[in-house]
Amino acid sequence: MKKLLFSLFTFLAFANGFSQIINPVKWSSKIEKLSDIEFNLVMEGKIEDEWHVYSQFTPADGPIPAEFKFKDAKGNYELIGKVKESPYKKQYNDVFEVDEYYFEKKVTFTQKVKITNPKLTSIKASIDYQVCKEVCINQDYTFTFALPKIEVATTDTPVVTTDTAKADTTKSVKEETKKVVETTPSSEPKEEEKGLWTIFFLAFLGGFAALLMPCIFPMIPMTVSFFTKQSKSKAEGVRNAIIYGLSIIVIYVILGSLITAIFGAEALNELSTSVWFNLIFFLLLVVFALSFLGAFEIVLPSSWATKIDSQADKGGILGIVFMALALAVVSFSCTGPIVGTLLVESASKGGIAPIVGMFGFSLAIALPFMLFAMFPGWLNSMPKSGGWLNTVKVSLGFLELAFAFKFLSNADLVLQKHWLERELFIAIWIAIFGAWALYLFGKYMLPHDYERADKIGVGRLIMAVLVTTFTFYMIPGLWGAPLKILSGLTPPINYAESISGFGNHSGNKTDLPEHAHLGPHGIVAFEDYEHGLAYAKQVNKPVLLDFTGDACANCRKMEDNVWSDASILPILKEKVVLISLYCDRKIELPKEQQYVSKTTGKEVVTIGNKWTDFQITRYKSNSQPLYVILDTNGNDLSKPIAFTFDKQEYLTWLKDGISKFN
C-alpha cells in the first residue's frame, strides 16, 4: 500500500510538470497578553496529512530541526526562556540512524517576551524548518506580531490575536494559555503507541532475564510455599501471592513515575544526545558488566534489608508489601544493572515511557509468583537451581559490556574525534562475542562458576553456536562489509580509517579535479554549480544536476538503492559530471553574495537558500531529491525526475539525457 501511494505521488508530481510549489504547512499566529509588558508569541502550524515538521530538539545527523530567529530584539524586547513547543512524536530513522522528533497534523510554538521599548508596535519572527513526506522540503516563514497598546492590567486580561488566527477576546489569559499548552491529540498517535509497546516488550524481556538470575529464581518456590503454608486456606494463599505480585509491580511503577516527575521529556532527550551522558553511561555499563561477570557484587547497605525484613514479619497486607520491597532490595545486585539500563533507555524516550518500562519489567517478575500460587502443582515442573543461572548472568554481562561501547561510540561521533572508528568498534565486538562463545562452550571459568562443565546442555550449545555465528558474521565488517543487521549500532561506514575497508584505497582517491570531492560510492562530485559546469566543458560530458540535502532521507535511499545498481553506477562514474547542490546547508554566504530572491521575495543568506532559490526559480519545485541532465552550457536535456525506487525507470531516463547530449 505504501509503495502504491508513493508511486501515485510520483506520478502526480510528473503530471503537474513540477509547476507547483509544495506548501504543506499553513501558519497562523496570535499574541497573548500576560501583563503590561509581557506577552506570549504563539505560532501555530496546520500540517497536511502524512507530512512531518521536525522539532527544534531533533538530534544532530538527523532531519533538520526547526530554528527560530527574532529580529531587532536588542533594545526593544527580551526573550524569556526558549521557544516552547507542543508534544512531539519520536521514531527511529534507520537511514540517519538517529531518532526523529516530529509533529503531524498540528504544531504550536510559544515564545515569551518582555517589552523594554514602550514605543515598539510589532515584533517580527521567522522559522526555518524542514517538512517531509515522500520528499523533504526546506521552508521558512515570517510572522508579524502586532503589539496592543499598554493598558492597566486586570484580572481578566483579554487576548489579542493577529494574522489569520482567530480567538475569542472575551476569554481570559488563563483559559487561552491552557488551550495553547494542552494540545493533546484526540487519539493516541500510532508511532507513539508503537514506541511504548516496544519499550514494554523490551522491559518485559529484561524482567524475564532478571527472573532467571541466581538472586531471584530460587526465591519463587520458597516464597510461594511460604504463602501457601502460612495461609489458612488455598484461596487465602492465592490472594496473598497476588497481593505480593501486585506490590512488586506498584514498587517498580512508582520508581518509573518518580523518574518521569523529576525529569521532563525535553531534558531527558537532550541528555540522551549529550557527550557527558553517553560517557557516564558507558562507565556505568562497564561497572554493571564486570559485576555480572563476577568481579564484585553490587549490593545495597545490609541495614536497609534488615529494617525492611523486620517490617515484613508483622504480617497482614502491609507485611506482604514489605516482603515485596525486601525482594527488590535483596535482589538489587542482579536487577540493578538491568533496571538502570532500562530506566535510562526508557527515560530518554520521554513522556510515560519510564512508567511503561517499569510496568513491563515488574510484570515479568511478579507473574511467576502469582501463577505458581494459583497452581502450586507447577512448582514440581520448575528446573532446579544450579550453574545454569550463573550462565545467564554472565551472558548478560557480556551483552552489557558490548552495548557499553555503543554509548562510547555515540560520544565519539558527536565530538568527531575519530577515536572509536568503525573498524575498532567492530574489532571490540568481535572480541567480546568471541569470548562469550568460548565461555558458553565451557573453555574457561569465571569466579562464580561452580565447576568446569565437561558436558554442556543442548540449550547452552545452541546459544554458543548462535553467538559464534554472529561473531563470524561481524568479521567481514573489518574489510568494509555493510553489516546491515547491525545498522544503527556500529559507527557509519564512512566513519572509518578506510571507507572502502582495509587494503582498499579506491575510496581515498587524491587525484581529483579542482573543487571536486568523492561523493557516494566514490563518484567524483562538485558542490558548486559554476565549478561543476566549468569542469563539464573541460571534459565535454553532460551534467547530472542533483538537488539534494545533508538531511534528505530519500536522497540517501536513492544513493544507496538506485545509484549503487551495477547498471547505473558505472554511468554516474564515467559518463556524466555530478553536481550535488545541498539545499539545506546553513553555511552563511559572504555578505556580497547575499540577495533578495526575485521569485519568492525572501532573503538568500545561506548556501542552502541559494540552491533552493535556484531550484524554485528554474524548475518551480522545492522538494529534494530532484535530478536533471544538462549540457555544458547549462541547458536542460531532460525533464526533471524525482525520487523513484524503479531502477529501470531511472536508468532509461539517464540514458535518454546522455543520448541527447551525444
Side-chain angles (χ1 to χ4, degrees), residues 279-562:
L279 289 175
I280 291 171
F281 201 51
F282 161 73
L283 294 174
L284 281 176
L285 284 183
V286 170
V287 171
F288 291 158
L290 293 177
S291 173
F292 276 172
L293 294 174
F296 48 81
E297 289 286 348
I298 302 175
V299 294
L300 293 176
S302 58
S303 59
W304 292 17
T306 303
K307 290 179 180 178
I308 293 171
D309 193 51
S310 64
Q311 296 295 323
D313 292 337
K314 294 182 178 180
I317 294 178
L318 188 60
I320 295 173
V321 172
F322 274 99
M323 282 184 66
L325 185 58
L327 172 70
V329 173
V330 171
S331 64
F332 181 78
S333 62
C334 290
T335 61
I338 300 175
V339 172
T341 305
L342 171 64
L343 272 177
V344 174
E345 180 61 24
S346 59
S348 67
K349 306 296 182 186
I352 62 170
I355 299 174
V356 172
M358 288 296 98
F359 175 71
F361 179 84
S362 58
L363 182 63
I365 293 179
L367 271 178
F369 292 96
M370 295 188 287
L371 291 175
F372 282 121
M374 294 178 183
F375 308 99
W378 290 1
L379 287 171
N380 297 326
S381 63
M382 283 184 65
K384 303 298 181 183
S385 300
W388 69 273
L389 288 175
N390 191 63
T391 301
V392 174
K393 185 176 180 180
V394 169
S395 295
L396 283 175
F398 280 114
L399 281 174
E400 292 264 2
L401 188 59
F403 281 105
F405 284 93
K406 170 57 182 169
F407 289 92
L408 184 61
S409 173
N410 288 344
D412 183 48
L413 285 168
V414 172
L415 293 173
Q416 289 289 300
K417 293 294 186 180
H418 288 265
W419 290 335
L420 188 58
E421 292 178 314
R422 183 180 174 87
E423 296 93 342
L424 180 58
F425 181 94
I426 293 173
I428 292 172
W429 268 42
I430 290 172
I432 292 173
F433 282 87
W436 183 12
L438 291 174
Y439 172 80
L440 291 173
F441 278 120
K443 297 301 182 182
Y444 62 92
M445 295 174 61
L446 288 172
H448 290 167
D449 288 318
Y450 297 107
E451 58 183 9
R452 178 174 293 181
D454 295 327
K455 296 180 180 179
I456 61 175
V458 175
R460 181 165 176 169
L461 175 62
I462 293 173
M463 189 65 187
V465 170
L466 290 175
V467 174
T468 303
T469 302
F470 182 70
T471 305
F472 282 123
Y473 168 79
M474 289 189 289
I475 292 174
L478 296 173
W479 284 268
L483 303 183
K484 292 183 179 180
I485 293 177
L486 296 178
S487 178
L489 291 174
T490 62
I493 201 164
N494 62 331
Y495 195 78
E497 294 179 19
S498 177
I499 297 175
S500 301
F502 290 159
N504 186 349
H505 301 289
S506 61
N508 304 321
K509 189 176 179 181
T510 55
D511 54 336
L512 293 171
E514 188 179 4
H515 305 298
H517 73 286
L518 283 180
H521 312 294
I523 304 170
V524 176
F526 293 84
E527 293 181 357
D528 182 87
Y529 179 75
E530 297 298 335
H531 291 152
L533 199 62
Y535 179 73
K537 288 181 179 180
Q538 178 183 335
V539 297
N540 194 33
K541 290 181 180 180
V543 169
L544 172 59
L545 191 60
D546 166 30
F547 290 99
T548 183
D550 289 311
C552 172
N554 283 328
C555 302
R556 302 294 87 77
K557 290 178 181 177
M558 283 290 294
E559 293 161 5
D560 293 341
N561 296 283
V562 178

Side-chain angles (χ1 to χ4, degrees), residues 9-68:
F9 179 88
T10 306
F11 170 78
L12 291 175
F14 279 115
N16 286 321
F18 299 92
S19 61
Q20 295 182 356
I21 301 300
I22 303 172
N23 188 24
V25 186
K26 300 296 186 292
W27 292 99
S28 62
S29 62
K30 64 182 177 182
I31 186 167
E32 296 174 348
K33 185 175 180 180
L34 304 177
S35 68
D36 284 346
I37 58 173
E38 291 184 336
F39 301 87
N40 272 339
L41 309 181
V42 182
M43 297 157 276
E44 295 179 327
K46 291 184 178 180
I47 308 169
E48 292 182 7
D49 290 346
E50 299 183 19
W51 288 89
H52 293 164
V53 171
Y54 295 93
S55 164
Q56 59 189 316
F57 306 112
T58 296
D61 300 326
I64 297 178
E67 183 180 345
F68 297 89

